[in-house]
Amino acid sequence: MTTQTMPTEERPQDGAPRLPMGVGQFSRGWLLFFALTTIGSIVGLIGYLTEHSQGMVATGMRDLGTMGGATWGIYISLVVYFVGISFAGITIAALIRLFDIEDLKGTARMAELMTIVALLLGGIAIIVDLGQPLRGIVNLFRYARPQSPFFGTFSLVIAGYLFASIVYLYLTSRRDAAVLAKQPSKLQGFFRAWAAGYEDTADQRSRDRRTTFWLALAVLPLLVVAHSSLGFVFGLQVGRPGWFGTLQAPAFVILAGVSGIGHLLVFAAIVRKLLGQEKRIGLEAFAWLGRFLMVLLFVYSYFVIVEIFTTIYQPTVAEQRIGDALLTGRYAWLFWISVATLVVHAVWLGWMAVTKRWNVGALVVIGLLVNVGAMGKRYLIVVPSQTHGQLLPYGDGVGSYSPTWVEYAVAVGLFSFGALLIGLFMKMFPIIELEDSKTEAVT
Amino acid sequence: MTRFGMAVDLDRCQGCRACVEACKIENNTPSSVFWMHVFRLEDGEYPNTHIDFLPRPCQHCNNAPCVKVCPVGARFKREDGLVLTDYDRCIGCRYCEVACPYGVNYFNWRSPDDAFADYQIPFDDPDVASVTGGAVPAYKNPDHDRKYGDEQRLTSGSAHQKGVMEKCTFCVHRVEQGLLPACVDTCPVGALKFGDIEDDETPISQFIRSNNTFQLLEDLGTDPSVVYVGGTAPSSTAREIERPTTGVDR
Amino acid sequence: MAEISRRTVVKGTAAAGGTVAASKLLFNVVDSDASAETGLQLAAPVEDEVFTTCWIGKQDCGMSARRVDGRVVKFEGMNGHPRNDGTLCPKGQAQIVSIYDPNRLKTPLVRTNDKGVTGEWRQASWDEALELVAEQYAKVAADDPKQVLWQKGRSKAKDFYDEAFVKAIGCSKLGHGAYCSDTGYRAVEYTTGLHGVLHPDLLNSKYVLSWGWNITNAGGNKFCWLTWPRQLVQARENNGLKIVQIDPRLRPAGPFADEWVPIKAGGDLAMALAMCHELIAQGFIDQPYLTAYTNAPYLVGEDGLVLKETIGEGEEAADVPLVWDDAVGRAVMYTDAVEPALEGNHQIDGQTFTTSFELFKAHVDQYTPEWAADKCGVDASTIRRLASEFGTEASIGATTIVDGVEVPHRPVGIMAYHMAQQELGFQAVRAMTIISMLVGAVGAHGGQLSDFTWKIHKNYAAFEDLKIDEPPYDFTLKNSKFFPINTGFPGIVTQVMQDPDRYQVEKLPKMVIIHMANPVVAFASAPDFVATYGMFDFVAVISPWMSETADLFADVVLPAATIEKYEGPISAGDGYIDAKALRLPPMEPLFESRGEIDIYLDLTEKMGLLHGEGGYLERVNDLLGLAETEFALPAGEKPTPRDIFDRWSKSQGLSGIDYFEENGVWVKGPLSPAKRYGYVSDPPFGGAVHRLYGESLLKAQRLQEDMGVDEVYSRDYTAFPTWRAPTMDASPPEYEFTLISYKLVEHKQSRTAMIPLLTELGGRQRVEMNPSAARRLDLSEGDVVTVESHNAVTGETRSVETVLALTEGIRPDVVGMPHHFGGWTHPVSRGLGPSPNDLYFSSEGYVGQTADASFHVKVRVTKGSEST
Amino acid sequence: MTRRGVITIAMIVIGVSLMGAAYFAGSAPWCADEVACSNPRMEWSPALFVFGVIIAISSALYYDVAKDKAVDRDSGPKDKTR
């Protein structure tokens, strides 16, 4: 998918001008991408159907206690991870609105889309993790208890946050829809409906700006609450060593930002390259994101240091068991890889920031690797406190968890499905906001 | 107010796991599920070794973390102290299980039929089914088809449906008939005692009052309704020996 | 602390359920959704409760079966039953599964393939199968019915129906005994005349040497398990009973061990002798008891024989031992002595005679604690202290009033059951009995008991003069020069079958009827059974499951019921209260399985041995005490098992079997002191003079020597227990561990290995080792290891593969493996790991002097599987 | 204030009120020691809460999307862009 990158207006064909940003055009590369992500999604579906028919015995999860397993595994890790990614989208978008950061505007819609897709995936991951998925959907609406930290996850994160993000994306895209609706194409009706009466009048523009500003302002606290509530899912559990703590909520927020901005960097770089939008997504955008990521990474590194120090200074027996497993034991490889990806890249980004030599390729690598680190850390938050966090002397105090193909398949399916959704969106709507200069406000 | 509780006399417990087996049969729990588990613990170095036994039913905490975290109120605590699971409401998120510091929750990873299959006793054998009607297990206890308490929820027994959480119920179905929980009833040495621990006059209250006691993981503030008498809480160096096998491949 | 009574109606129940009215429950308000899911019918089920008796162990606990529409849903302990009073152990609970197990034998089976490999079968009718067995019997019996061998693991009630069968068909018989603690029975029968091993008067005891006894797992003689711990916890609470666990493993007493003395495996005799030495040295001697009730004052000549005087003539003639009467200053018949001398030596007719007590003192003089220390691995100071504690607690001279009767009070005792299962087991148990004798604890309140009565076993008299026949011997070597005392040891039979000439045996068994026994897995030295059971012309197996023995060797398999049958009468007493019970079928047996009494009635009928003189029915009448009474089974009528027990019940003055159906257990009431305590029984100690000095053992040894028997067989026939190093010690030093084996509480006999709920709890096979030893060998928890045993006499090695389990509760020079593994016919026992029986030997050096199995062997443990 | 503003604020107020009502009055009480703690005081209250969230957020949608004159059907974007 490297051939078709020219702005469509400049290459008229079949009498009608092409829609911008590759919308409505399907290259061979895109079809390959579509095929791969579809296959990936089907793999996930097969995994899930297997789990559904056999029961969750098909996963590697088992009971804590006498079975010596972990009852939450990569599904919950994925929930936390995906919800984390969603952080970045709305944050970036909100920051752009609130502070009018022009350099980042090109990434705003990507960020919003990423948020929506990530939240959808997080929601699916939750359903996948339920023993009674249908009952889960019904009973949460019917009985959900505010006292349970899941109330926040379900009502605020999935429902409120997702809805707000969709509204936000919608409102910020109406202008583009209105523009595109003027251009004859198969999608004209679709754009017209999307625009829903937007005429790009000055009045509408200012109203639009006002609305999105306030919505962004309203979303920000929602975001902190949502991510904190996810942190509370773990941080409030006094009976699970390694989880209980006040740092859990802020750490969740920060790591959410890390993974989200990491993803955005990668996403932006791909779009920039594929659609030839080096101008719209300039190096400044990457510099912004890089600096932002650097700050988050430094803060998170600080949290990691605090975490390690607290773990090794005077731990309780159970804390020590988990600490040992993380620092030197079974999970050490993952722990140190994760920490390394986070800390090393903080330094690397710092270097780029100081020298002001921002390199997109390097940032993509960093974006990917910090996500590996973030995923690793999510797993390390969820799993070791179960396998190594027993307070009663079950077994030798050490349980085990190794995911089965079903879980890996579902994970692959989720990522594929997410990519597929993004790919489809990009064929239906410009992934970068159309430039103001092209269309002046209607007076 | 009644608060049902259990007293475990560690000076008497001989770690035989009769309670475990009585529970499994009374409540029809499938393979690898031990609502009542008895730790056999070893501590110290040869020759200053000692062995302790520690029965572990659900602690039916007064301040139960599992109840707090349940997103849909499927795990609930009754006014009489029993912490139960509504099998018809549970969504299978297993939050109660990670919230519980005692490891007493058992999830139905499989359909009950599949879980019993580990025992390699085909209960659907025609000769057996001719007597049992194909009940799984063959010794299926009909009490568990009923609903209990004011709340009238399906809370008794095991192996109802796949994908929901279960745990010790203090034998709610027996308690409501005025019987002792199956584990208490079968204990050969009378190490388990059951009754109202809030009423000072009950034998169990008197027993608890007149002895040294501890609760498991007292520091966590869960305030268990299971009180251990005699002995000491397991030390951090205690090692579990003679673990039961679990049929679920891990 | 007061017992909280069973089944206390829970206070506040009404409040608990709130307004859930009992009536709601009674009328079976069933939620339609829930019942739809379970597929159970909605019609109100019919509930009832039937009484029966547990079928798993030998404890025979009373049970009540809860039934729903005639289907058993749970067994619970029977309230008011003296042994278990409303409680039940894990095995008792779990046996419910076996009722419904389609892996059981469903019909009689006839083999269609060669023996020695997994069987292939065709189904047969009962008629055909029984006919086949009867035909084979007729063929062999025509020559000699003794060549038919009947073998049973354990009779699960009074064995009248087995005995009647054996007697009616005139066959040879082998029990499991020699694999249990029969050498201990022999030692105690020999020493005090009681049929049992050693157990204390637990409820009244203050200090117990728990010698190898498996309190928290196995139980001892008389009870398989549950009643002892019930009494033990009471004694701990009421008397402050102290338990000293003398065993290479701590696990047997677990938390009940007030002190753990990790003794070297096989060093028990050395420690017991040192204890005797110390008790004497510290002056803990109950002179009046020893003088009045034991042969301690008997005068023994320099030839080792007791000085006796013959009284009466001809048929009436009897040799009466003489003692030195200090009152008259000469030797008199012990029955006439006024003041018998316990110590000293005396010149009579120019010869020196020494009291046997004096001889014993001299004998144990060498066995100082320091001497014993490296033999048994226990510090001299510990032995000394234990002797001191034992002697002090014994409070020699004290008496107490029991139900108005003054009884000597010696609240000390030894609990030693499976101690006997070693090469020197007979003498070790004798030495332990002597420990209690020295302080006068035998038969005292709180003291040393062995049986629940003071009825003297017939072996007591028989052992006065051990009978040794001239060859040829029968294949059990009964009355042979090899084993003057002979329990009847299946392991020796396998040796004989492999080399009959060596044992001067001419006739080998040709046919075997195996009833609930599983030698190829469950008996020590299992490989010998695999090697020999193919030699039988015909093998019939009566068992509820396809046993491994049946799988390899049976020609015909007859499906027996498990608990769902009539058996009895069963002792239901706890040693303090006398009671009787029956096993009643809680439901009809599933499949075509049948109770054993039914099977034997039909089989003897087919053999033509049911009716008539000496027939099965007549034997049953004799053995149940019905003969010559109005309740005798009428000749010529084939009874039902229920009819047999109905008649027996009536013969006991009860209304009939309905008494048991309604009440479950017949509690006769407390045992009087005269029944419990030997000192006050009539005559005291049942009239037996306790044998400190084993003159007949010495005489047997001399006879053996005269007949030219290898020293291996005669060396332990000594008048006093005498230490020698066990044969296994001669194995090369690389076989550095002694293997011991033991029972898990989850298992009892091979039948429990067929019960999934128990295999689940019992776990997989493992070999237990001390971490310090494992570190030295670079082994760690969970490693796959090969355990290889070595026969110090033949050099043969045997090995199995298992996994390592580390425990600080075992001596570093001992490794242990539990029993009840190694099966393969039931899907749940398959693959759980090998049996330690594959490692033991049953040939010379690994057999006790009474032809009983030794469960000790030297092994080495190496990493990895055998093939590597 | 414009009608748009009024309705928007009304939606926010209604949404937040619904959330508040559903959370504090309709949902299960914040406790864990009796059966009542496990049941919402009004079933489907959590759905109401989510509905409240949606209404509140939808206010932005309304504010932005609603046409100036609700009656002016003819002045849709269709015509204007032509």
Side-chain angles (χ1 to χ4, degrees), chain A residues 52-53 56-57 62-64 66-67 71-72 129 131-132 135 139 144-145 148 233 237 240 394-395 400, chain B residues 56 67-71 87 89-95 97-99 102 106-107 109 162 240 248 250:
Chain A
H52 191 72
S53 65
M56 295 186 74
V57 71
R62 291 296 179 268
D63 286 324
L64 305 170
T66 53
M67 264 183 217
T71 195
W72 280 358
D129 191 53
Q132 290 276 350
R135 212 191 258 183
N139 284 7
R145 299 174 62 251
S148 170
V233 167
Q237 298 316 313
R240 204 124 295 285
Y394 286 104
S400 65
Chain B
R56 183 240 64 196
V67 175
K68 283 188 179 165
V69 301
C70 180
Y87 305 136
R89 191 184 288 184
C90 174
I91 61 173
C93 70
R94 309 186 300 291
Y95 198 174
E97 185 169 359
V98 294
Y102 303 101
Y106 289 88
F107 185 66
W109 299 100
K162 129 176 126 175
E240 189 179 21
V248 189
R250 308 212 37 261

Side-chain angles (χ1 to χ4, degrees), chain C residues 499-779:
Chain C
D499 190 358
D501 293 345
R502 178 175 175 190
Y503 297 98
Q504 294 166 287
V505 172
E506 287 174 0
K507 279 186 178 174
L508 291 180
K510 290 184 173 162
M511 163 181 179
V512 61
I513 299 172
I514 303 171
H515 181 170
M516 277 307 298
N518 196 4
V520 304
V521 173
F523 287 1
S525 200
D528 284 315
F529 291 91
V530 177
T532 51
Y533 270 47
M535 292 159 72
F536 291 109
D537 294 341
F538 187 79
V539 177
V541 169
I542 302 171
S543 171
W545 293 277
M546 176 66 73
S547 67
E548 282 71 23
T549 307
D551 187 41
L552 293 183
F553 298 114
D555 293 278
V556 173
V557 189
L558 304 174
T562 59
I563 190 177
E564 56 281 34
K565 65 192 169 200
Y566 289 96
E567 278 190 314
I570 294 165
S571 166
D574 66 346
Y576 299 88
I577 292 167
D578 195 15
K580 283 263 188 284
L582 295 176
R583 178 166 297 115
L584 305 171
M587 58 189 269
E588 284 295 304
L590 281 180
F591 324 119
E592 284 183 39
S593 62
R594 313 176 63 183
E596 283 96 324
I597 298 180
D598 285 309
I599 295 175
Y600 283 130
L601 285 169
D602 288 354
L603 185 55
T604 49
E605 190 176 36
K606 280 269 185 253
M607 291 170 166
L609 296 169
L610 178 62
H611 303 291
E613 200 176 325
Y616 190 72
L617 292 182
E618 192 187 294
R619 303 285 184 180
V620 168
N621 274 332
D622 283 349
L623 289 158
L624 275 183
L626 304 177
E628 322 272 309
T629 72
E630 57 180 311
F631 307 108
L633 297 166
E637 265 177 52
K638 185 171 162 188
T640 64
R642 191 175 186 281
D643 185 28
I644 294 173
F645 291 109
D646 191 48
R647 286 168 179 277
W648 172 81
S649 304
K650 285 176 174 147
S651 78
Q652 300 295 305
L654 302 172
S655 55
I657 196 167
D658 55 325
Y659 181 90
F660 291 96
E661 288 165 346
E662 281 159 25
N663 302 296
V665 60
W666 173 32
V667 180
K668 298 185 190 174
L671 286 164
S672 69
K675 289 223 164 118
R676 282 193 56 74
Y677 302 115
Y679 277 100
V680 295
S681 71
D682 183 27
F685 299 104
V689 174
H690 296 169
R691 291 180 180 126
L692 174 68
Y693 187 68
E695 183 195 27
S696 60
L697 296 174
L698 184 67
K699 284 173 24 185
Q701 184 181 52
R702 291 182 181 167
L703 204 52
Q704 285 177 298
E705 282 164 359
D706 291 347
M707 294 177 84
V709 175
D710 192 295
E711 191 238 1
V712 164
Y713 303 103
S714 64
R715 60 187 165 183
D716 296 322
Y717 280 85
T718 53
F720 290 126
T722 305
W723 170 259
R724 69 171 168 84
T727 304
M728 63 177 175
D729 283 3
S731 283
E734 65 261 34
Y735 294 91
E736 58 184 313
F737 298 103
T738 307
L739 173 71
I740 60 171
S741 52
Y742 39 85
K743 272 167 37 55
L744 302 171
V745 70
E746 290 84 3
H747 284 303
K748 178 84 187 173
Q749 298 156 358
S750 7
R751 67 196 67 177
T752 53
M754 311 283 190
I755 298 179
L757 285 170
L758 292 172
T759 56
E760 177 179 30
L761 284 190
R764 292 167 191 282
Q765 181 60 291
R766 60 277 192 172
V767 58
E768 288 188 355
M769 185 186 282
N770 189 295
S772 65
R775 271 194 299 275
R776 192 162 38 75
L777 297 173
D778 195 23
L779 296 172

Side-chain angles (χ1 to χ4, degrees), chain C residues 294-620:
Chain C
T294 76
N295 67 8
Y298 286 10
L299 293 168
V300 181
E302 281 165 343
D303 58 358
L305 299 182
V306 173
L307 182 61
K308 287 173 187 158
E309 190 172 311
T310 307
I311 56 164
E313 283 179 17
E315 293 273 299
E316 307 272 289
D319 291 335
V320 180
L322 302 186
V323 298
W324 188 264
D325 192 344
D326 281 336
V328 294
R330 63 182 168 82
V332 302
M333 285 190 288
Y334 81 96
T335 43
D336 298 339
V338 179
E339 210 179 305
L342 187 60
E343 301 182 42
N345 45 45
H346 305 276
Q347 298 294 320
I348 300 167
D349 299 338
Q351 285 182 307
T352 307
F353 289 89
T354 313
T355 67
S356 53
F357 185 71
E358 190 71 40
L359 283 177
F360 184 69
K361 269 169 64 179
H363 177 71
V364 298
D365 189 50
Q366 57 183 312
Y367 299 133
T368 62
E370 283 72 17
W371 166 87
D374 72 293
K375 310 276 184 302
C376 65
V378 180
D379 286 349
S381 60
T382 304
I383 298 175
R384 202 163 268 128
R385 178 174 51 78
L386 292 176
S388 162
E389 287 173 9
F390 191 83
T392 308
E393 286 288 353
S395 55
I396 296 168
T399 62
T400 187
I401 307 291
V402 186
D403 295 342
V405 181
E406 186 176 17
V407 186
H409 177 63
R410 305 278 183 281
V412 297
I414 297 172
M415 189 91 200
Y417 189 48
H418 291 280
M419 276 320 304
Q421 295 169 299
Q422 52 177 309
E423 192 189 356
L424 299 169
F426 179 84
Q427 294 290 21
V429 173
R430 241 174 77 67
M432 290 171 194
T433 312
I434 292 171
I435 291 174
S436 288
M437 285 166 63
L438 290 175
V439 299
V442 174
H445 178 260
Q448 186 70 62
L449 304 177
S450 302
D451 199 352
F452 294 147
T453 74
W454 289 87
K455 222 167 78 190
I456 301 304
H457 192 265
K458 61 181 190 324
N459 278 346
Y460 175 78
F463 289 164
E464 183 63 31
D465 192 13
L466 294 171
K467 199 173 157 210
I468 300 182
D469 293 341
E470 289 295 327
Y473 299 117
D474 83 4
F475 57 83
T476 65
L477 302 184
K478 200 175 162 203
N479 297 337
S480 71
K481 61 186 179 188
F482 304 105
F483 300 104
I485 299 177
N486 183 335
T487 293
F489 178 25
I492 276 293
V493 173
T494 64
Q495 300 297 324
V496 170
M497 287 173 74
Q498 291 174 82
D499 190 358
D501 293 345
R502 178 175 175 190
Y503 297 98
Q504 294 166 287
V505 172
E506 287 174 0
K507 279 186 178 174
L508 291 180
K510 290 184 173 162
M511 163 181 179
V512 61
I513 299 172
I514 303 171
H515 181 170
M516 277 307 298
N518 196 4
V520 304
V521 173
F523 287 1
S525 200
D528 284 315
F529 291 91
V530 177
T532 51
Y533 270 47
M535 292 159 72
F536 291 109
D537 294 341
F538 187 79
V539 177
V541 169
I542 302 171
S543 171
W545 293 277
M546 176 66 73
S547 67
E548 282 71 23
T549 307
D551 187 41
L552 293 183
F553 298 114
D555 293 278
V556 173
V557 189
L558 304 174
T562 59
I563 190 177
E564 56 281 34
K565 65 192 169 200
Y566 289 96
E567 278 190 314
I570 294 165
S571 166
D574 66 346
Y576 299 88
I577 292 167
D578 195 15
K580 283 263 188 284
L582 295 176
R583 178 166 297 115
L584 305 171
M587 58 189 269
E588 284 295 304
L590 281 180
F591 324 119
E592 284 183 39
S593 62
R594 313 176 63 183
E596 283 96 324
I597 298 180
D598 285 309
I599 295 175
Y600 283 130
L601 285 169
D602 288 354
L603 185 55
T604 49
E605 190 176 36
K606 280 269 185 253
M607 291 170 166
L609 296 169
L610 178 62
H611 303 291
E613 200 176 325
Y616 190 72
L617 292 182
E618 192 187 294
R619 303 285 184 180
V620 168

Side-chain angles (χ1 to χ4, degrees), chain C residues 78-402:
Chain C
M78 187 195 296
N79 289 321
H81 193 287
R83 287 198 174 162
N84 59 317
D85 190 18
T87 73
L88 214 51
C89 82
K91 294 163 289 209
Q93 290 282 355
Q95 69 190 304
I96 191 168
V97 179
S98 60
I99 300 179
Y100 301 108
D101 187 356
N103 298 302
R104 273 170 54 175
L105 295 166
K106 289 184 163 183
T107 66
L109 297 175
V110 175
R111 189 178 203 93
T112 59
N113 65 339
D114 289 341
K115 294 199 221 176
V117 295
T118 285
E120 288 163 24
W121 311 90
R122 66 175 174 83
Q123 295 191 347
S125 67
W126 269 102
D127 200 53
E128 184 197 350
L130 292 170
E131 187 68 49
L132 208 57
V133 179
E135 258 173 38
Q136 290 293 324
Y137 166 76
K139 219 191 294 176
V140 179
D143 176 20
D144 180 358
K146 287 284 176 199
Q147 285 181 290
V148 177
L149 177 62
W150 178 90
Q151 184 169 31
K152 189 166 184 178
R154 168 174 289 287
S155 290
K156 284 297 301 135
K158 184 171 166 62
D159 57 358
F160 77 89
Y161 65 84
D162 300 332
E163 276 300 307
F165 179 70
V166 169
K167 287 186 167 153
I169 75 168
C171 64
S172 308
K173 172 186 165 190
L174 275 181
H176 74 293
Y179 285 114
C180 190
S181 194
D182 271 34
T183 209
Y185 281 80
R186 298 299 92 79
V188 174
E189 285 157 8
Y190 187 88
T191 310
T192 65
L194 299 175
H195 184 63
V197 194
L198 299 174
H199 63 83
D201 180 16
L202 212 40
L203 285 182
N204 304 308
S205 185
K206 286 186 180 167
Y207 189 89
V208 166
L209 300 179
S210 169
W211 213 316
W213 179 46
N214 214 339
I215 313 174
T216 56
N217 288 271
N221 82 101
K222 302 301 167 193
F223 299 136
C224 80
W225 176 67
L226 188 151
T227 305
W228 290 128
R230 280 168 61 81
Q231 295 180 353
L232 183 109
V233 296
Q234 284 181 56
R236 272 161 59 85
E237 283 165 17
N238 299 336
N239 319 339
L241 169 67
K242 182 178 174 185
I243 300 281
V244 179
Q245 176 67 24
I246 307 175
D247 194 82
R249 291 172 73 239
L250 170 62
R251 177 73 180 88
F256 298 148
D258 293 293
E259 179 176 355
W260 177 34
V261 180
I263 192 172
K264 206 162 158 178
D268 309 279
L269 176 57
M271 175 157 173
L273 289 168
M275 291 280 289
C276 291
H277 171 100
E278 271 306 304
L279 285 171
I280 292 172
Q282 296 180 31
F284 292 114
I285 302 297
D286 189 331
Q287 204 145 350
Y289 158 79
L290 287 170
T291 319
Y293 301 117
T294 76
N295 67 8
Y298 286 10
L299 293 168
V300 181
E302 281 165 343
D303 58 358
L305 299 182
V306 173
L307 182 61
K308 287 173 187 158
E309 190 172 311
T310 307
I311 56 164
E313 283 179 17
E315 293 273 299
E316 307 272 289
D319 291 335
V320 180
L322 302 186
V323 298
W324 188 264
D325 192 344
D326 281 336
V328 294
R330 63 182 168 82
V332 302
M333 285 190 288
Y334 81 96
T335 43
D336 298 339
V338 179
E339 210 179 305
L342 187 60
E343 301 182 42
N345 45 45
H346 305 276
Q347 298 294 320
I348 300 167
D349 299 338
Q351 285 182 307
T352 307
F353 289 89
T354 313
T355 67
S356 53
F357 185 71
E358 190 71 40
L359 283 177
F360 184 69
K361 269 169 64 179
H363 177 71
V364 298
D365 189 50
Q366 57 183 312
Y367 299 133
T368 62
E370 283 72 17
W371 166 87
D374 72 293
K375 310 276 184 302
C376 65
V378 180
D379 286 349
S381 60
T382 304
I383 298 175
R384 202 163 268 128
R385 178 174 51 78
L386 292 176
S388 162
E389 287 173 9
F390 191 83
T392 308
E393 286 288 353
S395 55
I396 296 168
T399 62
T400 187
I401 307 291
V402 186

